Amino acid sequence: MPDATLGFAAAIEPREKMTPAEHAEKTLYLSSRITDYEGLIRFHRTPYLREPLEVFGDAYVRELLLCFATQVGKSTILYCILNHIVDYCPANTLLVAATERQADDISTKRLQHLFRDSPSLRRHIRRLNRLTYELDEMDIFWAWNSVSSVSAHPCRYIIMDETHSVGKDIRDAATERGKSKEGAKIVEASSPATPTDNIWTGLQLERDREAEREYEDTGRPMLPLRRYRAAGDCVVNRYRVPCPHCGEASPLYPDRIWWPADCAIRELTWRAVYLCPRCDGEITDRHKPAMVAAGTWAPMNPGAGSGARVGYHLSSLYSLLGDQCSFGEIAARWIRARRDPEKRRNFLKNWLAYPDDPDEETTGAVSLSIDAGSGDGHRRGSIPDGVDIITAGFDIHKKILYGAIWGWSDRDHYRQGWLIDWNRWTVDMDVDPGAVLELMAE
């Protein structure tokens, strides 16, 4: 009888109130089968994940959009959300993938390991099928790129990963599944591929050309120059970090990565720095951990809409995971990717969380001396030893004109080239091809 009394008391005892982030830190265990950081979840490397998790626990928020690059913890936040649903507020959940193969891969190689290895999830398992999880108080269903598979399971929680590859009709059908459920929530997580895919149109971000003009023609080396404004009812947040020199907090913009004009690619790792947008102070990778730890999310459009749709945008510049996201490494990857359209798209999507813009240049403004043969750097405007032929070329993009001067070796079948000088002109009208010859003469 005492045992029965204790069991009944435990069953009716109110649950300790915890936010999703607090709950994850107390209960969610990640094994080495799905992460390099085995153990209970800790956010000291990814402090920017806390607020999106807390927003998921906000009863007023109905839709959470995570536009994240790679290597910043997108998978981790989805693990935490699933853990909170299953162990704290159980209700049927629909997971949406682009294809059945993708669903199978994620299920068998990641999520089933997560459920079996974390005690907070393992204790709820009744049966884990390939694409259906039967739990003690709820079920989890997988669906993929067909309206019929998505429409079969009305659920309170809808979680869609990599939504850039999910058809809009599938996304719309998935969001309909929860409309009759009290407290229904939709979570979309993806890196953007094009300006028209689900995650980017969900954020409703537009290019701010006027803001971009303020930074053009600075004469500084730069990665892709992008400035956006939020133009819809989704409250879009960016992570702002304080400058170690002036203390001003701002987002990390890729085009603020700077390196000397005589820098070779192999030297970028230790010579590239980030320039504060306010004071132009040089920020190195050793500053980044403290900056990220002190960072906060700030809305681009506070008060937009009803507040029921909330989005977050985050690039790999903030990542403290591994050693591949230093300022110099990101710059080097851009240099190697910028001339190949497919590599360029992948870089923008996976590293900067930007969609590819078909109207934008395919080469980019790059202030880096490149010696295709030896890798030795040289100063901009100087002609290196070994140059026998000089060529000039221009690329016309509506109101923008790009020019470059290259030096070539006449030996070994022109296999060696040097970028000698370059420039970019922005005009208020469409570029007249006939005027290009005059610029070449200059």
Side-chain angles (χ1 to χ4, degrees):
M1 191 66 168
D3 290 342
T5 302
L6 289 173
F8 178 74
I12 64 173
E13 182 180 1
R15 205 53 201 273
E16 178 187 358
K17 289 187 176 181
M18 289 186 288
T19 67
E22 293 169 343
H23 183 230
E25 288 184 303
K26 287 187 175 182
T27 65
L28 182 58
Y29 175 85
L30 300 184
S31 73
S32 59
R33 294 200 286 181
I34 60 173
T35 182
D36 292 332
Y37 305 99
E38 183 176 3
L40 286 172
I41 282 285
R42 293 292 180 265
F43 295 113
H44 61 282
R45 294 186 188 89
T46 55
Y48 42 74
L49 297 185
R50 281 188 177 276
E51 182 178 311
L53 275 173
E54 309 298 32
V55 166
F56 176 78
D58 186 337
Y60 189 73
V61 174
R62 292 289 179 260
E63 189 169 353
L64 176 63
L65 295 96
L66 306 172
C67 183
F68 282 13
T70 58
Q71 295 295 312
V72 294
K74 178 167 64 70
S75 296
T76 299
I77 198 171
L78 295 181
Y79 297 156
C80 293
I81 287 173
L82 271 177
N83 179 70
H84 193 68
I85 292 171
V86 172
D87 193 49
Y88 193 84
C89 49
N92 284 357
T93 299
L94 179 66
L95 306 180
V96 181
T99 64
E100 182 177 1
R101 180 176 179 179
Q102 183 189 57
D104 187 64
D105 284 347
I106 296 174
S107 175
T108 58
K109 296 178 181 178
R110 292 162 57 186
L111 289 190
Q112 292 200 18
H113 294 323
L114 176 72
F115 272 76
R116 291 192 172 102
D117 295 342
S118 180
S120 62
L121 296 171
R122 185 172 59 239
R123 65 170 174 257
H124 297 288
I125 296 175
R126 290 168 54 199
R127 179 185 300 173
L128 293 185
N129 300 316
R130 185 173 68 94
L131 294 174
T132 304
Y133 304 168
E134 299 176 24
L135 308 176
D136 53 0
E137 297 183 67
M138 58 174 284
D139 292 324
I140 296 177
F141 307 97
W142 277 96
W144 46 91
N145 223 358
S146 72
V147 173
S148 58
S149 74
V150 170
S151 303
H153 307 290
C155 296
R156 179 183 295 176
Y157 300 111
I158 316 294
I159 300 176
M160 295 181 277
D161 193 10
E162 300 302 337
T163 55
H164 71 274
S165 54
V166 173
K168 291 188 180 298
D169 57 337
I170 309 302
R171 180 199 174 280
D172 293 342
T175 56
E176 291 290 314
R177 294 304 86 205
K179 67 180 182 181
S180 63
K181 303 292 184 181
E182 184 178 353
K185 290 184 183 293
I186 301 167
V187 179
E188 293 187 50
S190 185
S191 303
T194 68
T196 58
D197 70 20
N198 291 316
I199 193 70
W200 201 253
T201 55
L203 293 179
Q204 298 170 290
L205 292 177
E206 295 179 352
R207 292 286 290 270
D208 189 343
R209 303 292 183 178
E210 290 186 9
E212 290 176 2
R213 288 192 191 100
E214 295 179 9
Y215 293 92
E216 288 179 348
D217 302 320
T218 61
R220 292 191 177 123
M222 62 177 62
L223 273 75
L225 173 59
R226 299 278 186 93
R227 295 293 184 273
Y228 289 96
R229 59 173 174 265
D233 63 353
C234 179
V235 179
V236 182
N237 295 273
R238 295 179 300 180
Y239 201 66
R240 297 164 60 89
V241 295
C243 171
H245 306 295
C246 69
E248 182 75 10
S250 65
L252 291 178
Y253 296 111
D255 58 275
R256 299 298 296 178
I257 296 178
W258 181 91
W259 56 89
D262 62 349
C263 180
I265 289 181
R266 68 172 185 269
E267 300 172 337
L268 281 171
T269 302
W270 64 89
R271 297 188 69 184
V273 296
Y274 183 89
L275 299 180
C276 171
R278 176 174 180 176
C279 71
D280 271 347
E282 294 189 2
I283 299 170
T284 65
D285 290 299
R286 68 181 176 84
H287 293 118
K288 194 157 67 167
M291 293 169 63
V292 172
T296 56
W297 288 101
M300 301 172 66
N301 53 339
S306 64
R309 301 181 69 244
V310 181
Y312 293 87
H313 181 272
L314 195 73
S315 77
S316 295
L317 270 71
Y318 299 91
S319 178
L320 304 177
L321 304 175
D323 58 358
Q324 300 298 306
C325 295
S326 67
F327 297 133
E329 181 65 27
I330 291 174
R333 288 179 179 272
W334 166 247
I335 298 300
R336 297 186 181 103
R338 65 192 178 91
R339 295 187 182 279
D340 183 303
E342 184 61 29
K343 290 181 179 178
R344 171 192 167 84
R345 280 192 293 270
N346 288 335
F347 178 86
L348 292 170
K349 169 180 171 290
N350 296 325
W351 290 84
L352 305 185
Y354 287 160
D356 186 40
D357 189 339
D359 293 330
E360 197 172 46
E361 72 275 12
T362 58
T363 56
V366 179
S367 298
L368 180 71
S369 302
I370 302 172
D371 180 334
S374 66
D376 295 331
H378 61 274
R379 292 189 177 279
R380 178 176 180 178
S382 65
I383 300 177
D385 293 338
V387 170
D388 301 301
I389 298 173
I390 294 178
T391 61
F394 287 83
D395 197 5
I396 300 172
H397 291 266
K398 294 185 178 178
K399 298 181 180 181
I400 302 176
L401 180 65
Y402 300 91
I405 298 175
W406 286 81
W408 305 94
S409 170
D410 195 20
R411 309 151 211 168
D412 202 16
H413 304 289
Y414 299 98
R415 291 178 183 171
Q416 195 168 3
W418 297 263
L419 178 60
I420 295 174
D421 206 349
W422 58 93
N423 212 333
R424 166 178 174 157
W425 297 267
T426 302
V427 295
D428 295 329
M429 61 187 70
D430 290 348
V431 175
D432 178 8
V436 172
L437 290 176
E438 297 180 14
L439 286 171
M440 291 180 68
E442 294 180 7

